[in-house]
Amino acid sequence: MKLTREERDMLVGAEGDVVAEAMDCLVQFGDAFGAEQLADVEYCHYPAEMAIYAGSVEDAVDYAARGAKVRVDTTTSTLCCDLERPLSTGIPEPLAELQARVEHAHVSMGILDTYTCTPQLLGWTPNFGSIIASVESSAIIYFNSALGARTNRGGLFTRFTAVTGKYPLMGYLLDENRRGTHLFKVTIPAERLQAYDAWCALGFHIGGIVGGEVPVITGVPKPRQDWLIGFGAALATSGSVTLFHIPGVTPEADTVEDAFMGMQPREIHEVGVRELDTVYEKMNTIPRGAQVDFVTLGCPHYSLEQLRYAADMLRGKKVAEGVRFWVCTNRITRRQAEALGYVRDIEGAGALVVADTCPVESHMRQSTCREYGMKTPNVEAMVTDSVKMSRYCGDLIGCKTALVDTEACIRVAISGRWE
């Protein structure tokens, strides 16, 4: 790999051991994948070390204590608890106390304590073509697809990029790897795609076919931002999709021809109503008439507008006894929602507005429940409007799930039963 003089100096320790180690890891990583040089990175979305993973918090605290400092704007992904109201979610107190230690470490490193999977909703919208490094699959795919910024799946290397401002020039940072590979012709009536859960289901179907490649989607109505976020999250759940193109919607392809850069699609698929319905059938495992003990919204984290909608739907109503109802968002949006009265309306109905975390990342995972002597599975039957939540909670929490629209989630929370 060809390094600049600045990069060589960093590698040999001119800026301290932490930077030298990070550069060494990045250079080895780039060499392994044939990268010819490092790129300057403008922004990082950082892996928020979680207490549910052994040693993760301690490692973060140690890294900060060694003097690690970020050199680019850096936000943080989700934790395993709501740090501002930790005990509200039922997390074991020792686990909450352990998790809280990471916040000071992040702040001392210069990392912004956003703790969200949707940093784009807080104004972190990198410019078209900018090179960034990100964790969190739903953020990665949104940055690449909706904004035209460029990132790979950063993983642990995002830590090294944050303290060096560098990343190997490879993968989705290169033009040739952003070309579409599969064409999906959607024939679903537009009225069926006027809801968040429907876009999630569509993404889940396509991701399961395309795997880790680049789908190009035609025949869909122009999506709202929240639909696009849910769609991308679903693509990255059933597959490992990092980039998609919707000609005329996403910025890198005005036409199908643009998306494929003059090449022919490797495969062409049609997606109709039947394919969409099959996703709901797969996600719906709760027997009809069964009691529901958990309802959750906000995967990925809800926007202020989505919180407003939930507040309007819940105002003056009551969640059924025995039902936990989480509406997940980031801490900054929750404060906005508090000022506007949305939190009062949601929590007045018996639901809980949760920040910094979500059920997927929480103490309710089966492994954590067993470790702390909690009921396993912690949830029996969960209803959600997110296919990502449905899939991962089924796997990680071990509960039965149902995927429905947002309004139906709220109806179930009030009735306490799956009808």
Side-chain angles (χ1 to χ4, degrees), residues 18 78 115 127 192 197 199 231 233 274 277 328 331 355 402:
V18 168
T78 49
Y115 302 122
N127 291 330
R192 280 293 306 269
D197 59 292
W199 279 86
F231 176 69
R274 179 57 193 156
D277 289 343
C328 301
R331 54 176 58 185

Side-chain angles (χ1 to χ4, degrees), residues 35-215:
E36 296 181 357
Q37 63 188 74
L38 296 172
D40 291 325
V41 168
E42 299 180 20
Y43 160 72
C44 287
H45 187 52
Y46 189 87
E49 291 91 349
M50 292 198 295
I52 57 175
Y53 299 127
S56 181
V57 170
E58 293 85 350
D59 180 56
V61 170
D62 178 66
Y63 200 60
R66 294 178 60 204
K69 301 288 183 184
V70 300
R71 63 171 58 203
V72 296
D73 293 345
T74 304
T75 53
T76 37
S77 195
T78 49
L79 302 171
C80 74
C81 75
D82 184 330
L83 285 186
E84 295 183 324
R85 301 194 294 178
L87 302 185
S88 65
T89 62
I91 187 172
E93 192 167 355
L95 189 61
E97 290 172 352
L98 175 61
Q99 184 66 91
R101 294 177 59 199
V102 83
E103 187 170 23
H104 176 73
H106 289 158
V107 171
S108 73
M109 290 174 64
I111 298 170
L112 299 169
D113 49 345
T114 53
Y115 302 122
T116 184
C117 52
T118 53
Q120 66 271 32
L121 298 180
L122 298 178
W124 298 99
T125 51
N127 291 330
F128 179 84
S130 60
I131 294 176
I132 66 173
S134 180
V135 297
E136 168 50 43
S137 59
S138 67
I140 290 165
I141 197 169
Y142 187 89
F143 287 141
N144 271 320
S145 308
L147 301 180
R150 299 190 171 202
T151 179
N152 293 320
R153 288 174 171 250
L156 180 60
F157 288 94
T158 308
R159 168 192 274 191
F160 305 140
T161 294
V163 300
T164 62
K166 305 289 182 177
Y167 188 90
L169 189 61
M170 62 187 194
Y172 288 97
L173 310 188
L174 301 173
D175 288 346
E176 59 265 29
N177 295 325
R178 300 178 72 84
R179 178 190 303 120
T181 58
H182 295 58
L183 177 61
F184 290 85
K185 297 180 178 180
V186 177
T187 61
I188 300 166
E191 57 269 23
R192 280 293 306 269
L193 292 174
Q194 297 298 315
Y196 179 81
D197 59 292
W199 279 86
C200 289
L202 177 62
F204 192 83
H205 172 75
I206 292 172
I209 294 172
V210 77
E213 300 197 78
V214 182

Side-chain angles (χ1 to χ4, degrees), residues 40 51 68 151 254 260 293 304 378 380 414-415:
D40 291 325
T151 179
D254 289 333
F260 287 101
D293 59 338
L304 186 62
N378 198 264
E380 297 292 338
I414 292 166
S415 71

